[in-house]
């Protein structure tokens, strides 16, 4: 299993030492957001899945340009308190660890999209999107993101047209970029609770020549810059089941009557709870794309715009961008 993504919180030449320990997906998400480490120079951190789709079976690798001190090892261990064991410290041969850390990110071809992390030549007729593994989730290689890409591509092929789009928990911006390509001229808002992710999206947009997307650091929809342009004809949220359930009234409230809502980041075992939360807000399930243990949902908003009965409950927000 290749690295799902990496967080470059340091720099310098190829590392010659590696500190490894197990972690959970939740810890990996926190690590990949770019933790502040009391180390100078800082190591480069990479997280990866040890067991596909197992939230408890992840790995943290920290690359150092020189032998790490006991203080440095302790700082790395503090990032993964679930490990319950001493980190593995090993001397590496003189290798390009950046190449090693990216090796698992083979180019991904989904519909009309070719997502890659390097200099690969895209197939004819595809829209290439260069999304390197970096400081935010969303390289497209996880079933949730590739499933969303496939669903968006199919929607456009079937004649769907959207003038307004919002991407909640945008991560690297990949799904917002896809929407901009499929529906040029649409007003698109991309949000994330993590300011690092928004910075990454801005960088990726410039690298891919994507213009006109409004980027907002926001907790769900709880920002005037997200609510102001509502209602949206297409709502995308690729996060996690807990936030999806918590945010059901928020997302339904910013959806236009009859809007398309694409939800991902949930396991098949969590589908019923997520669907029930949105049905309670007047939405109807239109399609399920099951990919392994994961499901991508397409729902249709009610014929009348949903009006919440009370203030939004911010509980359940922990754990945002999921795409690997």
């Amino acid at each position: 299993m290749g690295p799902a993504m990496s967080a470059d919180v340091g720099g310098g030449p190829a590392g010659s030492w590696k500190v490894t320990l197990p972690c959970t997906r939740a810890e990996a998400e926190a690590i990949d957001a770019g933790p502040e480490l009391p180390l100078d120079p800082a190591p480069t951190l990479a997280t990866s899945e040890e067991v596909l789709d197992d939230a408890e079976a992840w790995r943290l690798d920290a690359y150092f340009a020189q032998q790490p001190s006991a203080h440095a090892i302790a700082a790395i261990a503090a990032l993964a308190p679930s490990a319950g064991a001493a980190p593995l410290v090993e001397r590496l041969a003189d290798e390009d660890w950046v190449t090693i850390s990216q090796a698992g990110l083979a180019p991904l071809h989904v519909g009309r999209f070719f997502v890659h992390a390097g200099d690969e030549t895209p197939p004819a007729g595809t829209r290439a999107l260069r999304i390197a593994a970096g400081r935010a989730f969303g390289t497209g290689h996880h079933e949730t993101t590739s499933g969303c890409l496939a669903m968006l591509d199919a929607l456009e092929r079937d004649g769907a047209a959207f003038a307004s789009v919002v991407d909640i928990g945008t991560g690297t911006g990949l799904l917002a970029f896809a929407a901009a390509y499929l529906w040029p001229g649409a007003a698109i808002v991309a949000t994330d609770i993590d300011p690092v992710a928004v910075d990454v999206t801005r960088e990726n947009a410039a690298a891919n020549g994507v213009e006109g997307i409004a980027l907002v650091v926001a907790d769900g929809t709880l920002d005037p810059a997200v609510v102001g342009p509502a209602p949206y004809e297409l709502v995308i949220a690729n996060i996690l089941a807990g936030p999806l359930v918590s945010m059901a009234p928020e997302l339904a409230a910013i959806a236009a009557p009859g809007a398309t809502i694409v939800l991902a980041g949930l396991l098949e075992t969590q589908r019923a709870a997520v669907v029930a939360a949105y049905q309670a807000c007047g939405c109807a399930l239109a399609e399920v794309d099951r990919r392994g243990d994961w499901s991508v949902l397409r729902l249709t908003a009610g014929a009348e715009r949903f009006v919440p009965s009370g203030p939004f409950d911010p509980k359940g927000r922990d754990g945002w961008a999921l795409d690997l």
Side-chain angles (χ1 to χ4, degrees), residues 4-17:
M5 59 86 66
S6 63
D8 187 356
V9 296
S16 57
W17 288 81

Side-chain angles (χ1 to χ4, degrees), residues 151-245:
M151 187 169 286
L152 295 178
D153 185 71
L155 280 168
E156 197 280 334
R157 289 184 187 276
D158 290 341
F162 305 110
S164 54
V165 180
V166 63
D167 179 19
I168 303 291
T170 195
T172 61
L174 176 58
L175 298 180
F177 302 162
Y181 173 75
L182 294 170
W183 297 285
I188 299 176
V189 177
T191 83
D192 204 288
I193 195 171
D194 181 7
V196 172
V198 173
D199 288 342
V200 168
T201 297
R202 184 176 294 107
E203 295 167 3
N204 286 336
N208 287 282
V210 180
E211 299 179 348
I213 295 178
L215 301 178
V216 183
V217 178
D219 181 355
T221 69
L222 306 183
D223 191 286
V226 180
V227 177
Y232 299 95
E233 296 178 358
L234 173 61
V235 177
I236 306 166
N238 181 18
I239 41 180
L240 293 173
L244 286 176
V245 170

Side-chain angles (χ1 to χ4, degrees), residues 41-68:
T44 293
L45 309 180
T47 60
S48 59
E49 288 180 288
E50 288 282 80
V51 178
L52 183 63
D53 300 338
D54 186 339
E56 303 304 313
W58 283 63
R59 186 182 77 238
L60 165 62
D61 294 309
Y63 295 88
F64 291 82
Q66 57 189 12
Q67 184 174 3

Side-chain angles (χ1 to χ4, degrees), residues 43-305:
T44 293
L45 309 180
T47 60
S48 59
E49 288 180 288
E50 288 282 80
V51 178
L52 183 63
D53 300 338
D54 186 339
E56 303 304 313
W58 283 63
R59 186 182 77 238
L60 165 62
D61 294 309
Y63 295 88
F64 291 82
Q66 57 189 12
Q67 184 174 3
S69 65
H71 170 70
I73 295 171
I76 298 303
L79 298 176
S82 69
L88 172 64
V89 182
E90 56 185 318
R91 177 77 163 86
L92 300 179
D94 291 334
E95 299 174 290
D96 180 357
W97 59 262
V98 173
T99 299
I100 295 172
S101 69
Q102 297 279 357
L105 295 181
L108 185 73
H109 189 180
V110 178
R112 283 165 280 183
F113 298 102
F114 182 75
V115 184
H116 63 111
D119 298 322
E120 296 84 359
T121 300
T126 61
R127 171 59 163 107
L129 292 170
R130 191 177 190 278
I131 308 291
R135 295 170 293 158
F137 283 88
T139 61
H141 289 73
H142 195 274
E143 288 89 338
T144 58
T145 312
S146 60
C148 286
L149 278 176
M151 187 169 286
L152 295 178
D153 185 71
L155 280 168
E156 197 280 334
R157 289 184 187 276
D158 290 341
F162 305 110
S164 54
V165 180
V166 63
D167 179 19
I168 303 291
T170 195
T172 61
L174 176 58
L175 298 180
F177 302 162
Y181 173 75
L182 294 170
W183 297 285
I188 299 176
V189 177
T191 83
D192 204 288
I193 195 171
D194 181 7
V196 172
V198 173
D199 288 342
V200 168
T201 297
R202 184 176 294 107
E203 295 167 3
N204 286 336
N208 287 282
V210 180
E211 299 179 348
I213 295 178
L215 301 178
V216 183
V217 178
D219 181 355
T221 69
L222 306 183
D223 191 286
V226 180
V227 177
Y232 299 95
E233 296 178 358
L234 173 61
V235 177
I236 306 166
N238 181 18
I239 41 180
L240 293 173
L244 286 176
V245 170
S246 172
M247 294 166 57
E250 296 176 48
L251 298 189
I254 63 171
T260 295
I261 302 174
V262 174
L263 306 178
L266 60 138
L267 293 165
E268 172 63 18
T269 55
Q270 300 167 325
R271 189 216 312 177
V274 174
V275 170
Y278 286 80
Q279 287 177 332
C281 300
C283 303
L285 180 64
E287 180 184 0
V288 178
D289 182 0
R290 183 170 179 181
R291 297 180 173 236
D293 292 333
W294 302 88
S295 290
V296 179
L297 310 180
R298 177 169 63 87
L299 301 100
T300 302
E304 297 183 1
R305 188 172 177 186

